[in-house]
Amino acid sequence: MVLTGLVVAEQQRSSAKGWPWLPEQGLVHLGYEHYSIGEAVYLGRGFADPFRTPSGPTAWMPPLVPIVIAGLLHLADGERLQTAYLFYALQLFLIGLTLALLLREGQRLGVGRFSVPLIVFWCVVLHVPLFFLTHAHPFQIVAVFLAWKDLVSQRSAHGYERRVIASGFVGAFYWLVFPGLGAAWTALTLLKTRQHVGGGIVAILIAASLVSPWIVRNSVVFGKFIPVKSNAGYEAWQAMQTNNGILHASTFAMHPIVYRNQESMEYHRLGESMYLTSKLKQFFSEVKEAPDKYASFTMNRFFAATVWHEAWRQPEQANELLMLLYRSSKFLVLFSLVLLLFSRSPLSDDIKTAVMLWVLILLPYIVTVHGLRP
């Protein structure tokens, strides 16, 4: 299965350029909006221009990855391809770090013999975002693991003061790279620190103090409160324009990222703040007019996120073997979580923490927008 997955992944290459196993299109992607903003920072325009053309200040994306890209652009003298090589090396390092941490955790939990095959399985399932595309995914994956480990360690009194400080710093990291995870960590930190309520509050306050300059910047620039990123209204509206509430490749034909399409021109005409306010109003208007449609779309997103993998492209364009792999992985996750949740395991608290973290991370995507990009 592993070899088959790797062969299929190799066949997906759209170009012979770039590194032998990585198409140039995937190598220089760099999260597109992340790269566009990072380039604007590098060129002295500030945190701006998420769609390559000049459009002014933005909060479209969380700030950490674009800032990292700006730093790599500086090291590469502004060369996109060289920047992509540096970013890909960083991406592989983060993946390797996560795998090492997972193996170590498997040893600690006494399931080391299962760790390697499971890690190999998930490397195949996630081969595109991990190895065939430069994006923020590895940052998010290592952040999710650290958040779970942080939440689990909150029960221990060993090194309590240092742990609280460290928890606050990594909490800021979650918010700045993956706001959904930051919100989940904040909620669970408050929920799980009843024995040391002060510690949980201190950790959250440390994280808030580190994130606050970005919040203040957004408030000053846009004249309203924007916690970390601004585009939730657009994403909610975008999902209502689909035929089932789930994003597919064709959905992005209407995205402002497409040069001079209707949404791109409206974004540049109104400016980001007014554009997103308009999209949020349209979303609420559509929900009010057709609540049954929104309910149906939300249910579709729930099943797509937890049970049944939706093809990113048209069904006739999807690789049947890969779709079977993706869908079996959904079943594996759901079955494992249910089985572990009801088992009488000495690790039940760790398992419940993992389940709650998983649910809270998925929740905003189920409520507003969900799309997978295999």
Side-chain angles (χ1 to χ4, degrees), residues 47 56-59 214-224 226 273:
F47 203 88
T58 185
W214 181 249
I215 298 175
V216 171
R217 175 263 182 190
N218 290 341
S219 299
V220 171
V221 170
F222 297 103
K224 60 183 179 181
I226 299 175
S273 183

Side-chain angles (χ1 to χ4, degrees), residues 239 242-248 292-310 330 365-367 369-372:
T242 64
N243 59 3
N244 62 355
I246 302 168
L247 302 188
H248 301 87
D292 55 333
K293 176 183 175 182
Y294 174 72
S296 173
F297 281 10
T298 302
M299 187 60 67
N300 291 340
R301 287 191 289 267
F302 171 78
F303 280 108
T306 59
V307 179
W308 188 253
H309 181 92
E310 281 276 337
K330 289 291 181 68
Y365 298 97
I366 293 171
V367 172
V369 60
H370 178 75
L372 297 176

Side-chain angles (χ1 to χ4, degrees), residues 27-46:
L27 176 63
V28 301
H29 187 276
L30 294 167
Y32 198 90
E33 295 106 311
H34 292 98
Y35 175 77
S36 182
I37 297 169
E39 185 181 45
V41 174
Y42 168 72
L43 295 175
R45 300 199 300 266

Side-chain angles (χ1 to χ4, degrees), residues 318-364:
N319 184 289
E320 292 182 3
L321 179 59
L322 284 177
M323 291 305 300
L324 177 62
L325 188 64
Y326 295 138
R327 285 168 179 165
S328 65
S329 70
K330 289 291 181 68
F331 172 78
L332 176 64
V333 171
L334 191 62
F335 176 77
S336 299
L337 288 175
V338 171
L339 184 66
L340 291 170
L341 194 59
F342 289 97
S343 67
R344 295 182 179 180
S345 167
L347 302 172
S348 59
D349 287 340
D350 294 6
I351 293 166
K352 289 177 181 177
T353 299
V355 172
M356 288 189 293
L357 187 63
W358 178 68
V359 169
L360 289 178
I361 289 173
L362 284 181
L363 186 60

Side-chain angles (χ1 to χ4, degrees), residues 256-273:
I257 207 170
V258 179
Y259 181 64
R260 295 192 67 79
N261 69 358
Q262 180 178 342
E263 296 304 320
S264 173
M265 290 188 288
E266 186 177 355
Y267 174 89
H268 285 80
R269 179 176 62 84
L270 296 176
E272 181 168 302
S273 183

Side-chain angles (χ1 to χ4, degrees), residues 13-75:
R13 294 189 305 167
S14 59
S15 170
K17 299 179 182 179
W19 288 356
W21 64 90
L22 180 67
E24 186 176 29
Q25 181 181 1
L27 176 63
V28 301
H29 187 276
L30 294 167
Y32 198 90
E33 295 106 311
H34 292 98
Y35 175 77
S36 182
I37 297 169
E39 185 181 45
V41 174
Y42 168 72
L43 295 175
R45 300 199 300 266
F47 203 88
D49 310 337
F51 309 122
R52 300 304 303 275
T53 53
S55 57
T58 185
W60 191 273
M61 304 302 294
L64 186 60
V65 174
I67 296 300
V68 168
I69 291 174
L72 296 179
L73 277 165
H74 180 75
L75 292 176

